[in-house]
Amino acid sequence: QVQLVESGGGLVQAGGSLRLSCAASGSIRSINDMGWYRQTPAKQRELVATITSGGYTTYADSVKGRFTISRDNAANTVYLQMNSLKPEDTAVYYCNAYVQRSWGDLHRNYWGQGTQVTVSS
């Protein structure tokens, strides 16, 4: 099995910062893309940022210049540094990873359980 466990969410005032972490564990041979998504009750899950195993990053326009995604390949961990937070960043943030469990397997998509980020005005 593969598990993704997020941490680092919480309550912060507008303009503040939070750092999310997501560690993948279990039967893992390799991980391709990792990313962060977010969802509110009023909106579908949306992409926040992704990073390839080589470090190439993409961001949603709404977070460019404020959020930074990074990863530690040796630790199978992805991070999301969130600065200059706004109330509209309030959401449940989900970690995502494409994981190969053993040689010859396809990379399959896994999700974490989500962590709540609340930004007060």
Side-chain angles (χ1 to χ4, degrees), residues 46-98:
E46 63 176 5
L47 181 145
V48 175
T50 64
I51 184 168
T52 68
S53 57
Y56 182 80
T57 59
T58 61
Y59 295 93
D61 287 342
S62 59
V63 307
K64 281 180 182 176
R66 300 187 298 122
F67 291 9
T68 302
I69 189 170
S70 61
R71 66 189 282 174
D72 181 340
N73 290 330
N76 293 330
T77 300
V78 63
Y79 305 95
L80 185 68
Q81 178 66 45
M82 305 185 293
N83 298 329
S84 302
L85 282 161
K86 305 175 180 179
E88 51 263 43
D89 294 319
T90 295
V92 177
Y93 284 70
Y94 295 90
C95 172
N96 172 264
Y98 283 85

Side-chain angles (χ1 to χ4, degrees), residues 13-70:
Q13 288 189 328
S17 298
L18 283 174
R19 189 188 194 214
L20 305 183
S21 299
C22 172
S25 62
S27 177
I28 298 172
R29 182 179 183 274
S30 69
I31 303 177
N32 280 353
D33 292 4
M34 302 184 81
W36 290 94
Y37 292 71
R38 65 187 182 187
Q39 187 171 18
T40 67
K43 296 172 75 173
Q44 291 186 335
R45 192 171 297 188
E46 63 176 5
L47 181 145
V48 175
T50 64
I51 184 168
T52 68
S53 57
Y56 182 80
T57 59
T58 61
Y59 295 93
D61 287 342
S62 59
V63 307
K64 281 180 182 176
R66 300 187 298 122
F67 291 9
T68 302
I69 189 170
S70 61

